[in-house]
Each structure stands twice: as structure tokens, then as C-alpha cells.
Amino acid sequence: MSELHLPNRVRRLAAEHPDRPAVTAGDSTLTYRDLDAYTNRVATALQSLAADPKRVGALLRMGLPGAATFVGCAKAGLVFTPINWRLTPGESAVIAVDAELSVLVVEADFADAAHAVAQSLPDVHVVVVGDASLVPGARTWDQLLDEGTDIDPGFGDDPHAEVLQLYTSGTTGKPKGVVAVHRNLYNVQENFDLYEFEHDSVSLNALPLFHIAGAGWISTSLSAGLHLVLLGEMRPALVAQAIADHRVTHAFLVPAAIGMLLEHPDLERYDLSSLEVVAYGASPITPTLLARTMDTLDCRLVQRYGMTETTGALTALRAGDHDPHGPRTHLLRSAGTPLPGTEVQIRDIVTGEPLPQGATGEIVSRSRNNVAGYWRRDAETAAMYTEDGFLRTGDAGHIDRDGYLFVTDRVKDMIITGGENVYPVEVEAVLAEHPAVAEVAVVGLPDARWGEAVTAVVRLAEGVEPPTESELVAFTSGRLASYKKPRRIHIVRELPRNASGKILKRTLRDTLPTRDTLPTAQEAGR
């Protein structure tokens, strides 16, 4: 098993394919021989600095220092702990203290956060990528490399050794450290086959380093021996240019990024013909956007459904299941079928009992990818698992007769209006079909009569005639049951998101105006 752990894969590829391109960042490309030597220096330098509990923090965009720190930590028996650089300095310090960081590698752009961390952890060693003078007492990245040696520390064989600690986005509360071990990141051939990788495939990673999709795509791409192109920003023009320049064949994009890429006014200027497979996940996607993506990019799509606590995917909607114009179009609403070695069930949200085929309940899973728990959060860890070892995802869904999982929504996002359950994704999928709607999010807001009112928040497409609220509501007639129709629609310029591209529905619920008075008789006609 250890042969497929990330650090051992890098070592093996350096021996068997030393001259194969491994990582490109900016104008620099490292072969697998180069990457192995480079990460040895990072590993030994970090090993000399990190004290128990041996956690190395990172406030880094996707790039060579971030990828090298990840692999270096894995080689050195350290735990790589990337932090969301979009947080405030104070929020970053809270996470650093919770993780008890010994070392923080930070870009100069995030010097304010480094100051906050250093004030909270006076003994932390700060390494700055860029101008180290911005953080008193800090090392530069080059100085760190000079302190390392070419001797490989040799860690990576123990499948139960901790290697990665990611903090949940905090969309539902205080961020928690999710601890993954080598076994969770173990990449098998079936995973590589899912993406139809070839030995000369070129993979693009422009995802946040602090998200499981970003860190996981590094692990998957390097473990498969691909040429990995790292991009620090998910801007449409930069993504398109990187695909064209490096002849990228495989990319992992979140739905929001896919939508922005397709909306780029000069997309036709870029040669995207090298694209073979686009993997997507991290947040829901509408069938309308899926069909448009396949038609525009002319490549195959693979969906992965999972979460940080499952170290990536539970299920996959494979390329052959994406059929936007044929008899299996309904599968575009699906999250696919379980990956090898993964059990997925639907349980009653209240009793925890397994539910029959087609019934909606909480999605639970059992697999080697499930993490053991949260960092020093025994109560939350215990609540995450059922008595028989299934992880509770917090997502609602059902499984059809062919074994395909359909994710309806977060359990906490379900709207109860007049005693009826409404899953926002159903309403969002319908409104997204309107030609004037670029993006939509649906939430439940307090309502004096119905308990909660189905409320849609819409971002309009560019260059369209803005529809009225009544026109959008009328568009749902015949497509949704009456009680599922939005009772209120808000037009906005943009939707609030976290760094992984997920829409922050809690933010919408907290900021949108509510209606505390009883509706009129006309409004009550449901």
C-alpha cells in the first residue's frame, strides 16, 4: 500500500522517469528528479524547525512553494496545514493557535496575517515567500532551502501517519481541523482510470491550496505521474491562457469557475482543443451549465462528490454518464455511483435507520477515505459517525434503482414551508434554465405565516433584458409544485462565496430582508 502514498510515488517516479516534467509554476518547470531533490531540501529544513505537534502552516496561493511544502511535510513526517489566505489576520491566528503551528510559510502579500500569527504564537518560525523584511525575524524561502540537505528523511510508509490538516470553511460555524492520514490520500489505479489519465497527460490546478480539492488534486496528479501546472489565481483569462500555453489535457474546476470561464467574452481567442477531461465538484452544478460546458469546451466531464471529511470523493458521475442531449439526461442531476471500496447509504435524519430505494434522507458513507476525526474535537468527531462506522455527511439525497446518488441539498439548508419540505437545489435547477439567469441560490427566510418562505437570489446574465420578479416566478409554473415556487426573488450583482466556490447561504440568510407581516390573500394563494 505504501507505494501509492504521495511521498513514495514522487520517489519512485524520480527513479523510473527522472526526466518527465513534474511541476510547472510560472516560467519554471521541475522534472520528477528535480522535484524529488527540491522537496528533500524542503523536508529536511522543515524537520529541523518543527516541534511537536509538528504542524507546518501555509498561507500560500497554489504554486511551487505550496506544493513543495505539502510533499516536503509528507516526506518529513510533518503535518501540512494550509490556511485560507482570504481570512482576516485575526481569523488566521485563531486557526494557527488551534493547530499549534511550529512553522508558518507565507507569501509576502499576507504579511499582516503572519504578524497576527506571530503575536499569538511567539515561538513560531515564519518563512516568507518574497520580501521577508515585512515580517521581523522571518526567513526567506531561499534561506529555508539553503538550510536543507539532499538527504531524504524517508517518511511516508505508515498508512496511519497524519499528513494533512485542513480547516472546514466555517460556513456552518467555527472552523474545525480535519486530519487526514496517508491512507486517506492513497491513490489507486481505479482513481486514475476515472479521469482517463495517460502517461503524457498535463493537469491544471488553480484551486485553493487550503481546500481538499486543491490539495487532493496535487496528490492525485503527482501520484499518477502527470505534468502538473500550478496557477495561483482562478481568473478565467489566466485559466484559458494556461490551457492554451501548456496544452492542458485535464483540469479540476469548481462550477463557479466553469461558469466564469464560459462567460469570458474572448474565450474564442484561446485554443482549448487540448482539453480532454474536466473534473468538477466542491459545490452543486445545474444540468443547464453542464450541457453548456460540454457543448462549449467539447471535452468529457467527470463529477466527484465528497467533502473534506471524506478526503475528496465518495461517488463519481463518470464521463459516459454525461449525456446532455440523449435519453439519460436525467443523470446530469446525479452525483454518480460509489467509488471502489466506498459504501453509500441513505439514513433517516432523525432515527438513523436505513431508508428504502428512492427515499430522501441523510447521505452516509463508509470507506478508507473517511478521516478519523477532527483535531482535538472529541465531541464533534463522535457526532460525525454512526454507531456502525458510517460518516454522516450532513447532505440530503436519495439513491435510485440503478444505484445513482442524487444529492438534494444540505440537511440544514432544507426549507420547511407550510409543513412541506423543499430542497433548494430543485428550485435552483429550474430557475437556472431561464435564459436571463446566470446564477441562482435559494434559501428559506423567516415568514410569519408559512414558517419559512422560499427565496431566490439571482445574478443575471450579461447583456440580457432584466426579467421582472413575477416573470421569473411564472417561469417556474408547471415545473415546480406550487409550494416550491419562490415567494420572493432578489436580483444581485454577485453571490457571496467562500474560497472553494461554494455559495455562502448562511450569509444570504443573515443579510437578506425578511418579511414579518402576514401575506395578503393573493400572496397566500399557493
Side-chain angles (χ1 to χ4, degrees), residues 75-373:
K75 283 185 168 185
L78 307 174
V79 182
F80 182 54
T81 310
I83 299 174
N84 184 345
W85 43 265
R86 292 175 177 169
L87 298 175
T88 66
E91 290 171 323
S92 297
V94 167
I95 289 177
V97 170
D98 183 78
E100 299 180 36
L101 297 183
S102 298
V103 183
L104 176 67
V105 185
V106 57
E107 289 182 28
D109 288 351
F110 312 129
D112 288 346
H115 280 289
V117 171
Q119 288 178 346
S120 300
L121 292 171
D123 295 330
V124 71
H125 297 277
V126 178
V127 180
V128 178
V129 178
D131 185 0
S133 67
L134 296 172
V135 184
R139 290 170 173 80
T140 66
W141 177 254
D142 288 340
Q143 286 173 331
L144 178 76
L145 293 175
D146 289 341
E147 293 172 10
T149 72
D150 294 328
I151 301 172
D152 190 330
F155 285 85
D157 285 332
D158 182 359
H160 303 292
E162 297 175 350
V163 65
L164 178 65
Q165 183 161 315
L166 296 172
Y167 277 79
T168 56
S169 63
T171 57
T172 57
K174 184 179 179 181
K176 301 182 290 290
V178 180
V179 183
V181 300
H182 282 290
R183 181 174 181 266
N184 300 140
L185 290 172
Y186 175 69
N187 284 292
V188 294
Q189 187 60 45
E190 290 91 339
N191 283 351
F192 304 151
D193 293 341
L194 172 67
Y195 300 115
E196 305 174 14
F197 288 151
E198 301 290 345
H199 74 277
D200 58 350
S201 294
V202 180
S203 172
L204 176 67
N205 195 346
L207 297 158
L209 187 62
F210 50 81
H211 188 273
I212 186 57
W217 197 240
I218 290 176
S219 179
T220 297
S221 298
L222 293 181
S223 294
L226 308 187
H227 178 190
L228 177 61
V229 177
L230 303 175
L231 193 63
E233 296 181 81
M234 184 70 90
R235 295 209 318 243
L238 294 179
V239 170
Q241 191 67 60
I243 294 171
D245 288 347
H246 301 288
R247 306 305 295 157
V248 168
T249 60
H250 292 71
F252 194 119
L253 301 173
V254 298
I258 293 174
M260 289 188 289
L261 182 63
L262 298 188
E263 290 177 13
H264 192 278
D266 298 322
L267 188 62
E268 293 183 357
R269 289 182 44 232
Y270 301 95
D271 180 4
L272 308 183
S273 61
S274 61
L275 267 182
E276 297 174 6
V277 175
V278 170
Y280 64 95
S283 61
I285 190 170
T286 65
T288 300
L289 178 56
L290 270 179
R292 190 168 150 231
T293 302
M294 295 182 72
D295 290 341
T296 303
L297 299 182
D298 191 26
C299 66
R300 295 183 292 283
L301 296 181
V302 174
Q303 178 191 166
R304 288 182 63 126
Y305 160 70
M307 54 197 297
T308 306
E309 289 83 348
T310 63
T311 327
L314 299 173
T315 65
L317 188 68
R318 291 158 174 79
D321 290 325
H322 287 74
D323 184 15
H325 307 297
R328 305 173 76 221
T329 303
H330 69 284
L331 289 182
L332 296 183
R333 300 182 185 274
S334 164
T337 54
L339 293 172
T342 301
E343 299 175 73
V344 177
Q345 294 183 2
I346 305 297
R347 301 279 181 94
D348 186 280
I349 294 172
V350 177
T351 68
E353 294 296 317
L355 294 175
Q357 172 192 303
T360 296
E362 184 175 16
I363 302 165
V364 300
S365 76
R366 185 164 59 187
S367 80
R368 62 163 177 81
N369 297 89
N370 290 348
V371 301

Side-chain angles (χ1 to χ4, degrees), residues 390-411:
F390 279 79
L391 183 144
R392 303 183 61 183
T393 67
D395 286 335
H398 66 270
I399 297 175
D400 72 5
R401 62 183 181 182
D402 296 318
Y404 284 84
L405 174 68
F406 289 77
V407 183
T408 48
D409 242 305
R410 292 291 294 170
V411 170

Side-chain angles (χ1 to χ4, degrees), residues 434-437 458 460-461 464-473 489 491:
H434 193 286
V437 174
V458 170
L460 298 179
V464 299
E465 182 70 25
T468 65
E469 179 178 351
S470 60
E471 287 172 345
L472 288 175
V473 173
I489 294 180
I491 307 296

